[in-house]
Amino acid sequence: MLADKRILLIIGGGIAAFKALDLIRRLRERGASVTPVLTKAAEEFVTPLSASALAAHKVYRDLFDLTDEAEMGHIELSRAADLVVVVPATADLMAKMAQGHANDLASTLLMATDKRVLIAPAMNVKMWDHPATQRNLATLQGDGVLVAGPVEGAMACGEFGPGRMIEVPEIVVAIDAALSDGPLSGRKVLVTSGPTHEPIDPVRYIANRSSGAQGTAIAAALRDLGAKVTFVTGPASVAPPAGVRVVKVETAREMLAAVEAGLPADAAVFAAAVADWRVANAADRKMKKTEGAGSPALEFAENPDILKTVAQMEVGRPGLVVGFAAETHDVEANATAKRARKGCDWIVANDVSPATGIMGGAENKVSIVTADGVEDWPRLSKDETARRLAIRIAEAISG
Ligand code: C5P
């Protein structure tokens, strides 16, 4: 619903800037008005005249343009919009935003605005993967900036990988979502994430390599669509997202209790890598290595299956129950069988063989198993996988 919405469009200086012109056209077709702002670098890629002609609006370029200050000051300009959109968000613009610089018109508007900000990053693979950009990204997400993309693909520089801006129609969808209350507003969603730690004694435990990155991204993506999210997380190596209710647990049994306490929910996503077994004879004191006594005999007991428990609830089952299947072989067959065995609605399956680099990595390649069959998704960042999954969840429970 873009009719009569006012978009302040900051065009960054990257080769993807030409797509901003198409974005202006499509936003106007949908009834939005667009006020373009060009950075100095952007003017090397698109002309102010093209932006102004397509927007049928004055283009703003310079912080110290006195005429503009007389007509409309930069503070007012930053607030006269319903949404601020940055396309393309270059590494430099992201760095400025993360650091709070205000040394040109674009960065000053971004600092001064009281509206939501949506960015569509685009840059070279190495620049995207650079720890500095990834740090800035985390900072911006923590600040509540909405981030759409990037995706993996061919780049103008001839390289291939993550860093390619999402396509213009997808930016329009992201703008639409950012401007509406969100398709999941008023909906409650529960997400589990991270590994569990099963104690052997007070200082030792059994765990797995889950980082919690995918579950965290899913919780953030659901939040961005307006859902009220309860995030039940084991000891993950990534920080939980802002703006969700976080419940920290250690063991599978604690996770089940937290999940049960977190219900009812409209949907539940079980992304946690829950330990299947716990040590039945865990010691309440640190086990001692005693000369000649040999190694301790650990006995195992099966942990509760949280996904199965919730998926098979007779009363209060969430309308949509999504499980994960981390496999190292026969991914589709195993996931399809798992869906039936657990009684959940969807299974998000992925191949976590060490060679894929998925476990603990920044990307994922998943297949979605539903009652209608198997859908293969391309290799995407975990954030992008989460964004798409959140949209699918919104379609399923709002439709
Ligand atoms: O059985 P498996 O561990 O492969 O199934 C994976 C799915 O089941 C994931 O969604 C995981 O979160 C969930 N699970 C669970 N409780 C367990 C084991 C797995 O909720 N004890």
Tab-separated table of all heavy atoms in Angstrom, residues 192-194 196 198 252-253 255-256 259 269-277 302-310 322-327 334 338 341-342 344 346-348, ligand 1:
chain	number	residue	atom	x	y	z
A	192	THR	N	13.015	-20.960	18.452
A	192	THR	CA	14.127	-21.501	19.254
A	192	THR	C	15.403	-21.389	18.432
A	192	THR	O	15.361	-21.406	17.205
A	192	THR	CB	13.917	-22.978	19.660
A	192	THR	OG1	14.060	-23.817	18.509
A	192	THR	CG2	12.568	-23.191	20.320
A	193	SER	N	16.530	-21.281	19.118
A	193	SER	CA	17.789	-21.046	18.408
A	193	SER	C	18.973	-21.531	19.237
A	193	SER	O	18.860	-21.697	20.449
A	193	SER	CB	17.909	-19.538	18.143
A	193	SER	OG	19.066	-19.249	17.416
A	194	GLY	N	20.093	-21.712	18.555
A	194	GLY	CA	21.342	-22.030	19.248
A	194	GLY	C	21.464	-23.501	19.606
A	194	GLY	O	20.559	-24.301	19.357
A	196	THR	N	22.183	-26.585	22.579
A	196	THR	CA	21.954	-26.724	24.026
A	196	THR	C	23.247	-27.267	24.637
A	196	THR	O	24.064	-27.869	23.937
A	196	THR	CB	20.777	-27.666	24.367
A	196	THR	OG1	21.060	-28.984	23.878
A	196	THR	CG2	19.479	-27.142	23.775
A	198	GLU	N	24.524	-29.777	27.551
A	198	GLU	CA	24.062	-30.829	28.463
A	198	GLU	C	25.204	-31.159	29.411
A	198	GLU	O	26.247	-31.671	28.985
A	198	GLU	CB	23.649	-32.072	27.653
A	198	GLU	CG	22.654	-31.772	26.522
A	198	GLU	CD	21.292	-31.266	27.023
A	198	GLU	OE1	20.923	-31.588	28.180
A	198	GLU	OE2	20.607	-30.551	26.260
A	252	ALA	N	18.236	-28.901	26.970
A	252	ALA	CA	17.023	-29.206	26.180
A	252	ALA	C	15.786	-29.162	27.067
A	252	ALA	O	14.739	-28.662	26.655
A	252	ALA	CB	17.159	-30.586	25.546
A	253	ARG	N	15.928	-29.662	28.280
A	253	ARG	CA	14.745	-29.687	29.152
A	253	ARG	C	14.328	-28.279	29.558
A	253	ARG	O	13.144	-27.956	29.611
A	253	ARG	CB	14.988	-30.590	30.367
A	253	ARG	CG	14.957	-32.080	29.949
A	253	ARG	CD	15.000	-33.019	31.121
A	253	ARG	NE	16.258	-32.942	31.838
A	253	ARG	CZ	16.530	-33.612	32.941
A	253	ARG	NH1	15.614	-34.406	33.479
A	253	ARG	NH2	17.694	-33.499	33.524
A	255	MET	N	14.850	-25.735	27.655
A	255	MET	CA	14.302	-25.142	26.426
A	255	MET	C	12.839	-25.549	26.266
A	255	MET	O	11.987	-24.716	25.936
A	255	MET	CB	15.128	-25.568	25.209
A	255	MET	CG	14.714	-24.858	23.933
A	255	MET	SD	15.816	-25.194	22.549
A	255	MET	CE	17.088	-23.965	22.794
A	256	LEU	N	12.528	-26.819	26.526
A	256	LEU	CA	11.128	-27.264	26.411
A	256	LEU	C	10.240	-26.473	27.379
A	256	LEU	O	9.166	-25.995	27.001
A	256	LEU	CB	11.016	-28.776	26.694
A	256	LEU	CG	9.584	-29.313	26.738
A	256	LEU	CD1	8.877	-29.122	25.387
A	256	LEU	CD2	9.553	-30.803	27.125
A	259	VAL	N	9.715	-23.031	26.074
A	259	VAL	CA	8.818	-23.038	24.907
A	259	VAL	C	7.371	-23.183	25.380
A	259	VAL	O	6.487	-22.438	24.934
A	259	VAL	CB	9.210	-24.179	23.929
A	259	VAL	CG1	8.101	-24.460	22.925
A	259	VAL	CG2	10.508	-23.813	23.200
A	269	VAL	N	8.908	-21.590	15.264
A	269	VAL	CA	10.007	-22.003	14.384
A	269	VAL	C	11.091	-22.611	15.263
A	269	VAL	O	11.638	-21.925	16.131
A	269	VAL	CB	10.580	-20.799	13.606
A	269	VAL	CG1	11.691	-21.251	12.669
A	269	VAL	CG2	9.476	-20.083	12.833
A	270	PHE	N	11.403	-23.873	15.016
A	270	PHE	CA	12.359	-24.574	15.875
A	270	PHE	C	13.705	-24.694	15.166
A	270	PHE	O	13.989	-25.689	14.515
A	270	PHE	CB	11.795	-25.937	16.271
A	270	PHE	CG	10.581	-25.800	17.150
A	270	PHE	CD1	9.302	-25.734	16.598
A	270	PHE	CD2	10.718	-25.662	18.515
A	270	PHE	CE1	8.185	-25.563	17.403
A	270	PHE	CE2	9.608	-25.477	19.328
A	270	PHE	CZ	8.345	-25.436	18.776
A	271	ALA	N	14.487	-23.643	15.288
A	271	ALA	CA	15.784	-23.610	14.598
A	271	ALA	C	16.913	-24.090	15.511
A	271	ALA	O	18.052	-24.207	15.061
A	271	ALA	CB	16.075	-22.198	14.106
A	272	ALA	N	16.611	-24.357	16.770
A	272	ALA	CA	17.680	-24.756	17.698
A	272	ALA	C	18.231	-26.125	17.328
A	272	ALA	O	17.512	-26.986	16.821
A	272	ALA	CB	17.130	-24.795	19.126
A	273	ALA	N	19.516	-26.289	17.565
A	273	ALA	CA	20.151	-27.596	17.412
A	273	ALA	C	20.165	-28.233	18.796
A	273	ALA	O	21.119	-28.075	19.562
A	273	ALA	CB	21.559	-27.432	16.865
A	274	VAL	N	19.070	-28.887	19.107
A	274	VAL	CA	18.897	-29.430	20.461
A	274	VAL	C	19.673	-30.741	20.580
A	274	VAL	O	19.611	-31.574	19.675
A	274	VAL	CB	17.391	-29.707	20.722
A	274	VAL	CG1	17.177	-30.162	22.149
A	274	VAL	CG2	16.558	-28.480	20.406
A	275	ALA	N	20.398	-30.915	21.666
A	275	ALA	CA	21.118	-32.179	21.873
A	275	ALA	C	20.096	-33.301	22.030
A	275	ALA	O	19.120	-33.153	22.771
A	275	ALA	CB	21.983	-32.085	23.122
A	276	ASP	N	20.317	-34.383	21.299
A	276	ASP	CA	19.350	-35.490	21.369
A	276	ASP	C	19.440	-36.238	22.698
A	276	ASP	O	18.468	-36.808	23.160
A	276	ASP	CB	19.586	-36.456	20.207
A	276	ASP	CG	19.162	-35.825	18.883
A	276	ASP	OD1	18.114	-35.146	18.874
A	276	ASP	OD2	19.889	-35.966	17.879
A	277	TRP	N	20.653	-36.232	23.253
A	277	TRP	CA	20.825	-36.961	24.512
A	277	TRP	C	21.437	-36.056	25.567
A	277	TRP	O	22.173	-35.132	25.255
A	277	TRP	CB	21.770	-38.157	24.305
A	277	TRP	CG	21.309	-39.087	23.243
A	277	TRP	CD1	20.354	-40.059	23.368
A	277	TRP	CD2	21.769	-39.145	21.887
A	277	TRP	NE1	20.191	-40.702	22.176
A	277	TRP	CE2	21.040	-40.166	21.247
A	277	TRP	CE3	22.707	-38.432	21.151
A	277	TRP	CZ2	21.222	-40.493	19.909
A	277	TRP	CZ3	22.901	-38.748	19.821
A	277	TRP	CH2	22.166	-39.767	19.217
A	302	GLU	N	17.581	-39.969	26.680
A	302	GLU	CA	17.071	-39.200	25.549
A	302	GLU	C	16.439	-37.901	26.036
A	302	GLU	O	15.722	-37.905	27.043
A	302	GLU	CB	16.036	-40.030	24.797
A	302	GLU	CG	15.950	-39.635	23.345
A	302	GLU	CD	15.083	-40.593	22.550
A	302	GLU	OE1	15.217	-41.816	22.737
A	302	GLU	OE2	14.267	-40.097	21.771
A	303	ASN	N	16.720	-36.828	25.332
A	303	ASN	CA	16.103	-35.544	25.669
A	303	ASN	C	14.686	-35.495	25.104
A	303	ASN	O	14.378	-36.190	24.141
A	303	ASN	CB	16.931	-34.397	25.060
A	303	ASN	CG	17.942	-33.848	26.042
A	303	ASN	OD1	17.732	-33.899	27.260
A	303	ASN	ND2	19.043	-33.334	25.529
A	304	PRO	N	13.847	-34.634	25.668
A	304	PRO	CA	12.523	-34.468	25.058
A	304	PRO	C	12.687	-33.877	23.662
A	304	PRO	O	13.585	-33.067	23.434
A	304	PRO	CB	11.830	-33.460	25.989
A	304	PRO	CG	12.931	-32.762	26.702
A	304	PRO	CD	14.052	-33.753	26.822
A	305	ASP	N	11.844	-34.312	22.747
A	305	ASP	CA	11.856	-33.719	21.402
A	305	ASP	C	10.876	-32.545	21.423
A	305	ASP	O	9.659	-32.725	21.438
A	305	ASP	CB	11.447	-34.765	20.360
A	305	ASP	CG	11.674	-34.247	18.946
A	305	ASP	OD1	11.376	-33.058	18.695
A	305	ASP	OD2	12.151	-35.023	18.104
A	306	ILE	N	11.420	-31.343	21.456
A	306	ILE	CA	10.600	-30.134	21.648
A	306	ILE	C	9.682	-29.922	20.450
A	306	ILE	O	8.476	-29.681	20.591
A	306	ILE	CB	11.514	-28.908	21.875
A	306	ILE	CG1	12.466	-29.189	23.047
A	306	ILE	CG2	10.695	-27.656	22.140
A	306	ILE	CD1	13.629	-28.233	23.153
A	307	LEU	N	10.265	-30.018	19.267
A	307	LEU	CA	9.490	-29.819	18.032
A	307	LEU	C	8.309	-30.790	17.979
A	307	LEU	O	7.163	-30.406	17.748
A	307	LEU	CB	10.414	-30.015	16.820
A	307	LEU	CG	9.750	-30.120	15.454
A	307	LEU	CD1	9.012	-28.846	15.106
A	307	LEU	CD2	10.790	-30.441	14.375
A	308	LYS	N	8.627	-32.068	18.224
A	308	LYS	CA	7.587	-33.105	18.146
A	308	LYS	C	6.505	-32.871	19.200
A	308	LYS	O	5.311	-32.988	18.928
A	308	LYS	CB	8.252	-34.468	18.352
A	308	LYS	CG	7.399	-35.644	17.968
A	308	LYS	CD	8.272	-36.883	17.984
A	308	LYS	CE	7.427	-38.125	17.827
A	308	LYS	NZ	8.252	-39.322	17.909
A	309	THR	N	6.955	-32.504	20.392
A	309	THR	CA	5.999	-32.263	21.485
A	309	THR	C	5.006	-31.173	21.084
A	309	THR	O	3.796	-31.333	21.243
A	309	THR	CB	6.749	-31.821	22.766
A	309	THR	OG1	7.742	-32.798	23.058
A	309	THR	CG2	5.821	-31.661	23.953
A	310	VAL	N	5.536	-30.080	20.530
A	310	VAL	CA	4.660	-28.951	20.182
A	310	VAL	C	3.823	-29.276	18.938
A	310	VAL	O	2.626	-28.989	18.886
A	310	VAL	CB	5.484	-27.657	19.983
A	310	VAL	CG1	4.615	-26.526	19.465
A	310	VAL	CG2	6.158	-27.270	21.299
A	322	VAL	N	7.194	-25.033	12.336
A	322	VAL	CA	8.291	-25.196	11.375
A	322	VAL	C	9.488	-25.817	12.087
A	322	VAL	O	9.959	-25.287	13.098
A	322	VAL	CB	8.709	-23.824	10.784
A	322	VAL	CG1	9.820	-23.998	9.753
A	322	VAL	CG2	7.512	-23.108	10.180
A	323	GLY	N	9.965	-26.935	11.556
A	323	GLY	CA	11.155	-27.571	12.121
A	323	GLY	C	12.329	-27.436	11.173
A	323	GLY	O	12.169	-27.032	10.014
A	324	PHE	N	13.492	-27.752	11.656
A	324	PHE	CA	14.698	-27.741	10.832
A	324	PHE	C	15.247	-29.156	10.726
A	324	PHE	O	15.015	-29.981	11.615
A	324	PHE	CB	15.765	-26.820	11.452
A	324	PHE	CG	15.617	-25.395	10.992
A	324	PHE	CD1	14.503	-24.657	11.354
A	324	PHE	CD2	16.574	-24.809	10.177
A	324	PHE	CE1	14.341	-23.347	10.922
A	324	PHE	CE2	16.432	-23.498	9.742
A	324	PHE	CZ	15.316	-22.770	10.106
A	325	ALA	N	15.944	-29.428	9.669
A	325	ALA	CA	16.618	-30.714	9.543
A	325	ALA	C	18.028	-30.442	9.044
A	325	ALA	O	18.219	-30.078	7.885
A	325	ALA	CB	15.872	-31.613	8.580
A	326	ALA	N	18.964	-30.546	9.949
A	326	ALA	CA	20.367	-30.394	9.568
A	326	ALA	C	20.873	-31.784	9.218
A	326	ALA	O	20.918	-32.669	10.074
A	326	ALA	CB	21.161	-29.806	10.731
A	327	GLU	N	21.225	-31.997	7.968
A	327	GLU	CA	21.616	-33.332	7.525
A	327	GLU	C	22.999	-33.278	6.889
A	327	GLU	O	23.452	-32.215	6.456
A	327	GLU	CB	20.614	-33.859	6.473
A	327	GLU	CG	19.153	-33.850	6.920
A	327	GLU	CD	18.823	-34.933	7.922
A	327	GLU	OE1	19.669	-35.838	8.139
A	327	GLU	OE2	17.735	-34.881	8.513
A	334	ASN	N	15.590	-37.470	4.004
A	334	ASN	CA	15.577	-37.419	5.469
A	334	ASN	C	14.619	-36.353	5.976
A	334	ASN	O	13.898	-36.549	6.956
A	334	ASN	CB	16.979	-37.130	5.999
A	334	ASN	CG	17.843	-38.377	5.991
A	334	ASN	OD1	17.343	-39.483	6.220
A	334	ASN	ND2	19.119	-38.220	5.704
A	338	LYS	N	11.343	-36.770	8.174
A	338	LYS	CA	11.314	-36.073	9.469
A	338	LYS	C	10.027	-35.281	9.641
A	338	LYS	O	9.435	-35.244	10.706
A	338	LYS	CB	12.532	-35.137	9.564
A	338	LYS	CG	12.760	-34.591	10.949
A	338	LYS	CD	14.120	-33.948	11.072
A	338	LYS	CE	15.217	-35.018	11.060
A	338	LYS	NZ	16.556	-34.426	11.161
A	341	ARG	N	7.412	-37.710	10.611
A	341	ARG	CA	7.663	-38.291	11.946
A	341	ARG	C	7.343	-37.291	13.058
A	341	ARG	O	6.767	-37.628	14.074
A	341	ARG	CB	9.130	-38.707	12.015
A	341	ARG	CG	9.432	-39.740	13.073
A	341	ARG	CD	10.804	-40.338	12.901
A	341	ARG	NE	11.887	-39.358	12.928
A	341	ARG	CZ	12.715	-39.139	11.931
A	341	ARG	NH1	12.595	-39.806	10.794
A	341	ARG	NH2	13.679	-38.244	12.046
A	342	LYS	N	7.725	-36.036	12.821
A	342	LYS	CA	7.546	-35.039	13.880
A	342	LYS	C	6.136	-34.466	13.894
A	342	LYS	O	5.687	-33.944	14.904
A	342	LYS	CB	8.538	-33.894	13.683
A	342	LYS	CG	9.989	-34.343	13.615
A	342	LYS	CD	10.736	-34.000	14.867
A	342	LYS	CE	12.218	-34.292	14.718
A	342	LYS	NZ	12.965	-34.021	15.918
A	344	CYS	N	5.227	-31.862	12.056
A	344	CYS	CA	5.238	-30.405	11.850
A	344	CYS	C	4.745	-30.072	10.435
A	344	CYS	O	4.570	-30.957	9.605
A	344	CYS	CB	6.633	-29.835	12.105
A	344	CYS	SG	7.904	-30.508	11.064
A	346	TRP	N	6.119	-27.596	8.198
A	346	TRP	CA	7.230	-27.426	7.253
A	346	TRP	C	8.516	-27.902	7.913
A	346	TRP	O	8.671	-27.818	9.129
A	346	TRP	CB	7.468	-25.942	6.915
A	346	TRP	CG	6.333	-25.220	6.310
A	346	TRP	CD1	5.149	-25.736	5.846
A	346	TRP	CD2	6.265	-23.798	6.096
A	346	TRP	NE1	4.361	-24.734	5.357
A	346	TRP	CE2	5.014	-23.528	5.496
A	346	TRP	CE3	7.138	-22.745	6.341
A	346	TRP	CZ2	4.623	-22.243	5.143
A	346	TRP	CZ3	6.753	-21.472	6.001
A	346	TRP	CH2	5.497	-21.217	5.400
A	347	ILE	N	9.424	-28.356	7.049
A	347	ILE	CA	10.799	-28.604	7.496
A	347	ILE	C	11.721	-27.753	6.622
A	347	ILE	O	11.590	-27.739	5.399
A	347	ILE	CB	11.187	-30.102	7.349
A	347	ILE	CG1	10.562	-30.970	8.440
A	347	ILE	CG2	12.695	-30.263	7.332
A	347	ILE	CD1	11.300	-31.032	9.761
A	348	VAL	N	12.600	-27.024	7.269
A	348	VAL	CA	13.639	-26.285	6.548
A	348	VAL	C	14.880	-27.164	6.618
A	348	VAL	O	15.437	-27.382	7.697
A	348	VAL	CB	13.920	-24.919	7.202
A	348	VAL	CG1	14.988	-24.163	6.431
A	348	VAL	CG2	12.642	-24.096	7.290
B	1	C5P	O1	15.521	-34.991	15.061
B	1	C5P	P1	16.341	-33.855	14.630
B	1	C5P	O2	17.214	-33.301	15.724
B	1	C5P	O3	17.139	-34.061	13.383
B	1	C5P	O4	15.264	-32.752	14.234
B	1	C5P	C1	15.602	-31.424	14.044
B	1	C5P	C2	14.442	-30.546	14.412
B	1	C5P	O5	13.864	-30.961	15.636
B	1	C5P	C3	14.862	-29.118	14.638
B	1	C5P	O6	13.776	-28.290	14.289
B	1	C5P	C4	15.122	-29.081	16.138
B	1	C5P	O7	14.981	-27.779	16.636
B	1	C5P	C5	14.071	-30.016	16.655
B	1	C5P	N1	14.448	-30.768	17.856
B	1	C5P	C6	13.794	-30.491	19.041
B	1	C5P	N2	14.087	-31.214	20.158
B	1	C5P	C7	15.008	-32.196	20.116
B	1	C5P	C8	15.676	-32.486	18.919
B	1	C5P	C9	15.382	-31.742	17.809
B	1	C5P	O8	12.956	-29.593	19.075
B	1	C5P	N3	15.283	-32.878	21.215
